Amino acid sequence: MPRPVIALARFSARHRRLVLAGWVLLAVALLAGSRALGSALDDDLSVPGSDSAAAAEVLGTVGGSDGAADEVATSSVLVASDGPVADRAADVAALAASLAAVDGVTGVTDPLADAAPGDRPAGVSPDGRAVTLRVAAQDDVDAPALRAAVSEARDDGLDVGVGQPLVRDLEPAADSRVSEVVGLAAAVLVLLVALGSAVAMTVPIATALVGVVGGLSALQLLGHAVTIPTVVPTLATMIGLGVGIDYALFQVARHTESLRATPDRVEAAAVTAATSGSAVAFAGVTVAVAISALAVTGVDFVSWLGFGTAVVVLVVLLAALTFTPALLATLAPRLARPRRRWGRGRAAASDQAAASDQAAASDQAAASDQAAASDPAAALDATRWAGFARLVTRRPWVSVAVSSLVLGAMALPAASMTLGQGSDGDRPLGTERRTAYDLTAEHLGAGANATLVVAATLDPAASGPDDPRAAGLRADVAAVEGVAAVAAPQLAADGSALTLRVTPTTDPADPATADLVGRLRALDPAGAEVHVGGQTAARLDLSDRIAERLPWLVLATVAVAALLLVLAFRSIAVPLKAAAMDLVSVAAAYGVVTAVFEWGWGVGLLGLDGPVSVDAYVPMMLFAVLFGLSMDYEVFLLSSVREHWRATGDATLAVRRGVASTGRVITAAAAIMLAVFGSFVRVDDPTIKVFGVGLAVAVLVDATLVRCVLGPAVMALMGRWSWWLPPRLDRVLPRVEV
């Protein structure tokens, strides 16, 4: 691995201006292209081979598709008033006219417009206080005009709830900009403290920004060719910023040492690439592989959660391996200047005593630097991190017991985690999706947010315009417990299929809705084959598919990661220990997510008004991301431990010096990730909040209890066995240097 990484670094350092300009131009070009083409993200969910997928095929035959083929989709707009909505027919008509005038809207159906006096139109709610407008619109709706039309109606005293997919144009996209600014600001502060230099601080920030902008723009363009969920860009931004800053930070920290030993900027970049650069490459590829393992579900929606995020991670990694060396080479003269770390002294004071204290501090710092230069190992052993590692390794059993107790308590709630189904009802009050959800539940019933489609195939030879099977099936469906209403059947032109729109009595997240789907699928009418579809049924099928495939995902991810570590570190015990530690971090994150979001502990602090359901795919995605990120820190720590093991042959001393040499940088990297991930809990989407909390907790736990206490203690107990590999296996396995 070092050879191509070194070659990239040398080329980038030699042609630094070309590389820097190339990256900036590439990022700008991709950004301009993505803005010109617009967004094509889609949350369409289909689970191949499932009953809901079979229902979707029948629905297409009948003609009940969403019109995606001609790029026109129909959305429901619920308009409600304090009294009878018929009394506000003029205001409703004004809203319908305003919506029809919006560019991109091709038609609006107002049930009140053609209703005869005294009649109740089909679109009026049972309580008479709401009416549903049907709005047909293309993909490129004039969003500002749409917002103006809805806002004007609300100013007139109407309650307006806009349904899917039009609500995506009404509400602003998941606004993560403030979260990004907060995360970057926190990262700047951490970098200033960790690196002690404003010049050095700019390298990780610039690398992350260039990589994330380029990666996200490429992802938006890719969305025009494949179906990428709308949550992916925000998730990819969160992870891309974290790993981008961290990967560059590790290189900057090593590069300052390389410059002292090798004044030539190109060779210093090569030395940095041979050490931290190789570890960065290994870690980045591991993260991408772990996230891409989501493809094991066989569901495009979930697969592209992983692939989309992996695209951004790989672009950020490429920036770290090329843009970072070029920028380090450009700034080499300023990075090589001697500087005083924060905390070694203060500004000169006006009185003589303060000046004397500062001079003494400066002399002490200079003496410390000279001692470090003459005996790096002794200087390393004298650090606070070395003292902490010495404390952990002297009482390894105590360290293992205490850390295991804390981690076990954190992971305990995960035993009750359920694969639920989130809904717009989980979003914060006041958001457009929550408004539409609440209005629908209030006036049409809770089940109106969980509409199901019963699709049946029929024998065409026995069908006709008055086929009694349609009426019979409708009656059978209406008699099923949990059904609130059944719409009139829609028949295919050739009589080979029919569909029924079914409204449950319960909302999407209620377990009773899942029970209803099971009862409907159990129907076996004569001469018909019944399937149940719709987004609610598809998400239930996704839950079943994930429950079936999650063990395989865990097994595949752990096996691949362990194999990579065996190749890199020539050990059997170390990869097994690393995999176990990563699983511990994931379990702790699962436990906190369950306690916060499903039990509701402190959920109000996150802007939510109560417990929420965690979507079925979230635990799987969290596992893939967390396992990859946890492996990052493991690779950096183990690289240092192995370096000292080779130098000393003392396993315990190697662990102490490995922790001492990486503790400050890993802690800074974890603090940056914690700040970036934590800042994203401001985003309205509950799914992003879950990811933000889960990732932040896992990184915090991993960089403290796991990586600094439990891991070193276990390695101290294993001793020399940590680095044992059967000679025959050593000869057979290919060599991968990190």
PDB file of all heavy atoms in Angstrom, residues 347-381:
ATOM      1  N   ALA A 347       1.286  35.547  26.992  1.00  0.00           N
ATOM      2  CA  ALA A 347       1.836  36.806  26.487  1.00  0.00           C
ATOM      3  C   ALA A 347       2.615  37.495  27.592  1.00  0.00           C
ATOM      4  O   ALA A 347       2.360  37.348  28.797  1.00  0.00           O
ATOM      5  CB  ALA A 347       0.699  37.687  25.985  1.00  0.00           C
ATOM      6  N   ALA A 348       3.612  38.267  27.178  1.00  0.00           N
ATOM      7  CA  ALA A 348       4.460  38.948  28.157  1.00  0.00           C
ATOM      8  C   ALA A 348       3.630  39.842  29.051  1.00  0.00           C
ATOM      9  O   ALA A 348       2.758  40.571  28.611  1.00  0.00           O
ATOM     10  CB  ALA A 348       5.510  39.778  27.424  1.00  0.00           C
ATOM     11  N   ALA A 349       3.896  39.775  30.329  1.00  0.00           N
ATOM     12  CA  ALA A 349       3.165  40.600  31.291  1.00  0.00           C
ATOM     13  C   ALA A 349       3.929  41.891  31.542  1.00  0.00           C
ATOM     14  O   ALA A 349       5.116  41.994  31.251  1.00  0.00           O
ATOM     15  CB  ALA A 349       2.975  39.828  32.599  1.00  0.00           C
ATOM     16  N   SER A 350       3.242  42.827  32.098  1.00  0.00           N
ATOM     17  CA  SER A 350       3.876  44.119  32.315  1.00  0.00           C
ATOM     18  C   SER A 350       4.794  44.111  33.524  1.00  0.00           C
ATOM     19  O   SER A 350       5.759  44.867  33.574  1.00  0.00           O
ATOM     20  CB  SER A 350       2.800  45.198  32.495  1.00  0.00           C
ATOM     21  OG  SER A 350       1.947  44.836  33.562  1.00  0.00           O
ATOM     22  N   ASP A 351       4.536  43.257  34.486  1.00  0.00           N
ATOM     23  CA  ASP A 351       5.383  43.273  35.687  1.00  0.00           C
ATOM     24  C   ASP A 351       6.552  42.305  35.544  1.00  0.00           C
ATOM     25  O   ASP A 351       6.527  41.373  34.757  1.00  0.00           O
ATOM     26  CB  ASP A 351       4.541  42.910  36.932  1.00  0.00           C
ATOM     27  CG  ASP A 351       3.851  41.572  36.745  1.00  0.00           C
ATOM     28  OD1 ASP A 351       2.783  41.551  36.089  1.00  0.00           O
ATOM     29  OD2 ASP A 351       4.387  40.562  37.217  1.00  0.00           O
ATOM     30  N   GLN A 352       7.579  42.532  36.347  1.00  0.00           N
ATOM     31  CA  GLN A 352       8.826  41.778  36.255  1.00  0.00           C
ATOM     32  C   GLN A 352       8.633  40.313  36.603  1.00  0.00           C
ATOM     33  O   GLN A 352       9.233  39.435  35.984  1.00  0.00           O
ATOM     34  CB  GLN A 352       9.865  42.410  37.211  1.00  0.00           C
ATOM     35  CG  GLN A 352      11.242  41.768  37.139  1.00  0.00           C
ATOM     36  CD  GLN A 352      11.901  42.023  35.797  1.00  0.00           C
ATOM     37  OE1 GLN A 352      11.653  43.057  35.178  1.00  0.00           O
ATOM     38  NE2 GLN A 352      12.718  41.091  35.342  1.00  0.00           N
ATOM     39  N   ALA A 353       7.753  40.006  37.549  1.00  0.00           N
ATOM     40  CA  ALA A 353       7.561  38.617  37.971  1.00  0.00           C
ATOM     41  C   ALA A 353       6.979  37.783  36.838  1.00  0.00           C
ATOM     42  O   ALA A 353       7.412  36.663  36.587  1.00  0.00           O
ATOM     43  CB  ALA A 353       6.632  38.560  39.195  1.00  0.00           C
ATOM     44  N   ALA A 354       6.002  38.365  36.136  1.00  0.00           N
ATOM     45  CA  ALA A 354       5.404  37.635  35.022  1.00  0.00           C
ATOM     46  C   ALA A 354       6.423  37.394  33.926  1.00  0.00           C
ATOM     47  O   ALA A 354       6.471  36.330  33.321  1.00  0.00           O
ATOM     48  CB  ALA A 354       4.208  38.399  34.474  1.00  0.00           C
ATOM     49  N   ALA A 355       7.258  38.396  33.653  1.00  0.00           N
ATOM     50  CA  ALA A 355       8.293  38.245  32.628  1.00  0.00           C
ATOM     51  C   ALA A 355       9.276  37.155  33.025  1.00  0.00           C
ATOM     52  O   ALA A 355       9.723  36.359  32.200  1.00  0.00           O
ATOM     53  CB  ALA A 355       9.021  39.571  32.426  1.00  0.00           C
ATOM     54  N   SER A 356       9.608  37.103  34.305  1.00  0.00           N
ATOM     55  CA  SER A 356      10.543  36.088  34.775  1.00  0.00           C
ATOM     56  C   SER A 356       9.944  34.690  34.644  1.00  0.00           C
ATOM     57  O   SER A 356      10.603  33.751  34.213  1.00  0.00           O
ATOM     58  CB  SER A 356      10.910  36.365  36.245  1.00  0.00           C
ATOM     59  OG  SER A 356      11.732  35.346  36.750  1.00  0.00           O
ATOM     60  N   ASP A 357       8.662  34.572  35.009  1.00  0.00           N
ATOM     61  CA  ASP A 357       7.986  33.275  34.889  1.00  0.00           C
ATOM     62  C   ASP A 357       7.943  32.813  33.441  1.00  0.00           C
ATOM     63  O   ASP A 357       8.147  31.646  33.133  1.00  0.00           O
ATOM     64  CB  ASP A 357       6.553  33.362  35.439  1.00  0.00           C
ATOM     65  CG  ASP A 357       6.557  33.518  36.952  1.00  0.00           C
ATOM     66  OD1 ASP A 357       7.609  33.227  37.561  1.00  0.00           O
ATOM     67  OD2 ASP A 357       5.504  33.929  37.502  1.00  0.00           O
ATOM     68  N   GLN A 358       7.665  33.768  32.536  1.00  0.00           N
ATOM     69  CA  GLN A 358       7.590  33.399  31.120  1.00  0.00           C
ATOM     70  C   GLN A 358       8.947  32.953  30.599  1.00  0.00           C
ATOM     71  O   GLN A 358       9.056  32.006  29.827  1.00  0.00           O
ATOM     72  CB  GLN A 358       7.071  34.582  30.296  1.00  0.00           C
ATOM     73  CG  GLN A 358       6.882  34.215  28.830  1.00  0.00           C
ATOM     74  CD  GLN A 358       6.256  35.341  28.047  1.00  0.00           C
ATOM     75  OE1 GLN A 358       5.689  36.249  28.629  1.00  0.00           O
ATOM     76  NE2 GLN A 358       6.359  35.272  26.746  1.00  0.00           N
ATOM     77  N   ALA A 359      10.011  33.638  31.024  1.00  0.00           N
ATOM     78  CA  ALA A 359      11.354  33.253  30.591  1.00  0.00           C
ATOM     79  C   ALA A 359      11.690  31.852  31.087  1.00  0.00           C
ATOM     80  O   ALA A 359      12.271  31.038  30.360  1.00  0.00           O
ATOM     81  CB  ALA A 359      12.378  34.262  31.110  1.00  0.00           C
ATOM     82  N   ALA A 360      11.311  31.583  32.346  1.00  0.00           N
ATOM     83  CA  ALA A 360      11.582  30.245  32.883  1.00  0.00           C
ATOM     84  C   ALA A 360      10.804  29.182  32.117  1.00  0.00           C
ATOM     85  O   ALA A 360      11.317  28.109  31.814  1.00  0.00           O
ATOM     86  CB  ALA A 360      11.192  30.206  34.374  1.00  0.00           C
ATOM     87  N   ALA A 361       9.543  29.513  31.799  1.00  0.00           N
ATOM     88  CA  ALA A 361       8.735  28.560  31.027  1.00  0.00           C
ATOM     89  C   ALA A 361       9.336  28.313  29.660  1.00  0.00           C
ATOM     90  O   ALA A 361       9.363  27.193  29.159  1.00  0.00           O
ATOM     91  CB  ALA A 361       7.298  29.074  30.899  1.00  0.00           C
ATOM     92  N   SER A 362       9.837  29.375  29.032  1.00  0.00           N
ATOM     93  CA  SER A 362      10.447  29.229  27.710  1.00  0.00           C
ATOM     94  C   SER A 362      11.700  28.374  27.782  1.00  0.00           C
ATOM     95  O   SER A 362      11.948  27.528  26.926  1.00  0.00           O
ATOM     96  CB  SER A 362      10.778  30.606  27.128  1.00  0.00           C
ATOM     97  OG  SER A 362       9.598  31.362  26.973  1.00  0.00           O
ATOM     98  N   ASP A 363      12.524  28.610  28.841  1.00  0.00           N
ATOM     99  CA  ASP A 363      13.736  27.799  28.997  1.00  0.00           C
ATOM    100  C   ASP A 363      13.373  26.330  29.202  1.00  0.00           C
ATOM    101  O   ASP A 363      14.022  25.443  28.652  1.00  0.00           O
ATOM    102  CB  ASP A 363      14.552  28.306  30.200  1.00  0.00           C
ATOM    103  CG  ASP A 363      15.137  29.691  29.933  1.00  0.00           C
ATOM    104  OD1 ASP A 363      15.206  30.073  28.742  1.00  0.00           O
ATOM    105  OD2 ASP A 363      15.498  30.379  30.902  1.00  0.00           O
ATOM    106  N   GLN A 364      12.335  26.116  29.999  1.00  0.00           N
ATOM    107  CA  GLN A 364      11.922  24.734  30.247  1.00  0.00           C
ATOM    108  C   GLN A 364      11.423  24.068  28.966  1.00  0.00           C
ATOM    109  O   GLN A 364      11.725  22.908  28.687  1.00  0.00           O
ATOM    110  CB  GLN A 364      10.811  24.712  31.308  1.00  0.00           C
ATOM    111  CG  GLN A 364      10.385  23.294  31.706  1.00  0.00           C
ATOM    112  CD  GLN A 364       9.321  23.312  32.785  1.00  0.00           C
ATOM    113  OE1 GLN A 364       8.915  24.370  33.234  1.00  0.00           O
ATOM    114  NE2 GLN A 364       8.897  22.144  33.199  1.00  0.00           N
ATOM    115  N   ALA A 365      10.647  24.824  28.170  1.00  0.00           N
ATOM    116  CA  ALA A 365      10.153  24.278  26.903  1.00  0.00           C
ATOM    117  C   ALA A 365      11.306  23.963  25.969  1.00  0.00           C
ATOM    118  O   ALA A 365      11.320  22.932  25.292  1.00  0.00           O
ATOM    119  CB  ALA A 365       9.191  25.268  26.247  1.00  0.00           C
ATOM    120  N   ALA A 366      12.305  24.872  25.918  1.00  0.00           N
ATOM    121  CA  ALA A 366      13.454  24.634  25.047  1.00  0.00           C
ATOM    122  C   ALA A 366      14.225  23.408  25.502  1.00  0.00           C
ATOM    123  O   ALA A 366      14.672  22.588  24.693  1.00  0.00           O
ATOM    124  CB  ALA A 366      14.361  25.868  25.040  1.00  0.00           C
ATOM    125  N   ALA A 367      14.391  23.272  26.823  1.00  0.00           N
ATOM    126  CA  ALA A 367      15.101  22.104  27.340  1.00  0.00           C
ATOM    127  C   ALA A 367      14.332  20.822  27.034  1.00  0.00           C
ATOM    128  O   ALA A 367      14.909  19.797  26.686  1.00  0.00           O
ATOM    129  CB  ALA A 367      15.291  22.246  28.856  1.00  0.00           C
ATOM    130  N   SER A 368      13.002  20.921  27.145  1.00  0.00           N
ATOM    131  CA  SER A 368      12.183  19.750  26.827  1.00  0.00           C
ATOM    132  C   SER A 368      12.321  19.361  25.366  1.00  0.00           C
ATOM    133  O   SER A 368      12.424  18.187  25.026  1.00  0.00           O
ATOM    134  CB  SER A 368      10.718  20.055  27.163  1.00  0.00           C
ATOM    135  OG  SER A 368       9.903  18.991  26.790  1.00  0.00           O
ATOM    136  N   ASP A 369      12.316  20.371  24.469  1.00  0.00           N
ATOM    137  CA  ASP A 369      12.474  20.088  23.053  1.00  0.00           C
ATOM    138  C   ASP A 369      13.828  19.466  22.760  1.00  0.00           C
ATOM    139  O   ASP A 369      13.951  18.552  21.950  1.00  0.00           O
ATOM    140  CB  ASP A 369      12.319  21.379  22.238  1.00  0.00           C
ATOM    141  CG  ASP A 369      10.867  21.851  22.230  1.00  0.00           C
ATOM    142  OD1 ASP A 369       9.987  21.030  22.543  1.00  0.00           O
ATOM    143  OD2 ASP A 369      10.642  23.037  21.914  1.00  0.00           O
ATOM    144  N   GLN A 370      14.891  19.977  23.455  1.00  0.00           N
ATOM    145  CA  GLN A 370      16.230  19.434  23.221  1.00  0.00           C
ATOM    146  C   GLN A 370      16.310  17.991  23.706  1.00  0.00           C
ATOM    147  O   GLN A 370      16.906  17.130  23.047  1.00  0.00           O
ATOM    148  CB  GLN A 370      17.262  20.304  23.948  1.00  0.00           C
ATOM    149  CG  GLN A 370      18.705  19.893  23.668  1.00  0.00           C
ATOM    150  CD  GLN A 370      19.693  20.843  24.315  1.00  0.00           C
ATOM    151  OE1 GLN A 370      19.303  21.790  24.971  1.00  0.00           O
ATOM    152  NE2 GLN A 370      20.976  20.571  24.134  1.00  0.00           N
ATOM    153  N   ALA A 371      15.690  17.725  24.862  1.00  0.00           N
ATOM    154  CA  ALA A 371      15.699  16.356  25.385  1.00  0.00           C
ATOM    155  C   ALA A 371      14.933  15.413  24.460  1.00  0.00           C
ATOM    156  O   ALA A 371      15.340  14.284  24.211  1.00  0.00           O
ATOM    157  CB  ALA A 371      15.071  16.326  26.782  1.00  0.00           C
ATOM    158  N   ALA A 372      13.823  15.928  23.927  1.00  0.00           N
ATOM    159  CA  ALA A 372      13.036  15.107  23.013  1.00  0.00           C
ATOM    160  C   ALA A 372      13.817  14.786  21.762  1.00  0.00           C
ATOM    161  O   ALA A 372      13.731  13.686  21.216  1.00  0.00           O
ATOM    162  CB  ALA A 372      11.726  15.825  22.661  1.00  0.00           C
ATOM    163  N   ALA A 373      14.581  15.763  21.287  1.00  0.00           N
ATOM    164  CA  ALA A 373      15.363  15.533  20.077  1.00  0.00           C
ATOM    165  C   ALA A 373      16.464  14.521  20.317  1.00  0.00           C
ATOM    166  O   ALA A 373      16.787  13.706  19.449  1.00  0.00           O
ATOM    167  CB  ALA A 373      15.948  16.857  19.576  1.00  0.00           C
ATOM    168  N   SER A 374      17.083  14.538  21.509  1.00  0.00           N
ATOM    169  CA  SER A 374      18.193  13.636  21.787  1.00  0.00           C
ATOM    170  C   SER A 374      17.715  12.231  22.142  1.00  0.00           C
ATOM    171  O   SER A 374      18.371  11.253  21.824  1.00  0.00           O
ATOM    172  CB  SER A 374      19.053  14.200  22.937  1.00  0.00           C
ATOM    173  OG  SER A 374      18.259  14.331  24.112  1.00  0.00           O
ATOM    174  N   ASP A 375      16.584  12.118  22.799  1.00  0.00           N
ATOM    175  CA  ASP A 375      16.059  10.805  23.185  1.00  0.00           C
ATOM    176  C   ASP A 375      14.538  10.813  23.043  1.00  0.00           C
ATOM    177  O   ASP A 375      13.815  11.030  24.013  1.00  0.00           O
ATOM    178  CB  ASP A 375      16.456  10.487  24.631  1.00  0.00           C
ATOM    179  CG  ASP A 375      16.132   9.035  24.993  1.00  0.00           C
ATOM    180  OD1 ASP A 375      15.528   8.332  24.153  1.00  0.00           O
ATOM    181  OD2 ASP A 375      16.477   8.614  26.109  1.00  0.00           O
ATOM    182  N   PRO A 376      14.017  10.569  21.838  1.00  0.00           N
ATOM    183  CA  PRO A 376      12.572  10.622  21.619  1.00  0.00           C
ATOM    184  C   PRO A 376      11.802   9.639  22.495  1.00  0.00           C
ATOM    185  O   PRO A 376      10.714   9.945  22.957  1.00  0.00           O
ATOM    186  CB  PRO A 376      12.426  10.278  20.133  1.00  0.00           C
ATOM    187  CG  PRO A 376      13.758  10.583  19.531  1.00  0.00           C
ATOM    188  CD  PRO A 376      14.763  10.296  20.599  1.00  0.00           C
ATOM    189  N   ALA A 377      12.356   8.446  22.714  1.00  0.00           N
ATOM    190  CA  ALA A 377      11.652   7.448  23.517  1.00  0.00           C
ATOM    191  C   ALA A 377      11.473   7.922  24.953  1.00  0.00           C
ATOM    192  O   ALA A 377      10.401   7.767  25.549  1.00  0.00           O
ATOM    193  CB  ALA A 377      12.412   6.127  23.487  1.00  0.00           C
ATOM    194  N   ALA A 378      12.543   8.514  25.510  1.00  0.00           N
ATOM    195  CA  ALA A 378      12.454   9.014  26.880  1.00  0.00           C
ATOM    196  C   ALA A 378      11.431  10.134  26.987  1.00  0.00           C
ATOM    197  O   ALA A 378      10.660  10.209  27.956  1.00  0.00           O
ATOM    198  CB  ALA A 378      13.825   9.501  27.348  1.00  0.00           C
ATOM    199  N   ALA A 379      11.434  11.016  25.985  1.00  0.00           N
ATOM    200  CA  ALA A 379      10.467  12.106  25.988  1.00  0.00           C
ATOM    201  C   ALA A 379       9.048  11.571  25.885  1.00  0.00           C
ATOM    202  O   ALA A 379       8.124  12.070  26.527  1.00  0.00           O
ATOM    203  CB  ALA A 379      10.758  13.065  24.834  1.00  0.00           C
ATOM    204  N   LEU A 380       8.879  10.515  25.078  1.00  0.00           N
ATOM    205  CA  LEU A 380       7.560   9.917  24.914  1.00  0.00           C
ATOM    206  C   LEU A 380       7.089   9.284  26.212  1.00  0.00           C
ATOM    207  O   LEU A 380       5.925   9.405  26.599  1.00  0.00           O
ATOM    208  CB  LEU A 380       7.618   8.873  23.801  1.00  0.00           C
ATOM    209  CG  LEU A 380       6.279   8.330  23.275  1.00  0.00           C
ATOM    210  CD1 LEU A 380       5.456   9.457  22.661  1.00  0.00           C
ATOM    211  CD2 LEU A 380       6.533   7.241  22.236  1.00  0.00           C
ATOM    212  N   ASP A 381       8.008   8.614  26.911  1.00  0.00           N
ATOM    213  CA  ASP A 381       7.653   7.960  28.165  1.00  0.00           C
ATOM    214  C   ASP A 381       7.299   8.957  29.259  1.00  0.00           C
ATOM    215  O   ASP A 381       6.683   8.584  30.271  1.00  0.00           O
ATOM    216  CB  ASP A 381       8.814   7.080  28.647  1.00  0.00           C
ATOM    217  CG  ASP A 381       9.010   5.855  27.753  1.00  0.00           C
ATOM    218  OD1 ASP A 381       8.040   5.480  27.058  1.00  0.00           O
ATOM    219  OD2 ASP A 381      10.123   5.306  27.736  1.00  0.00           O
TER     220      ASP A 381
END
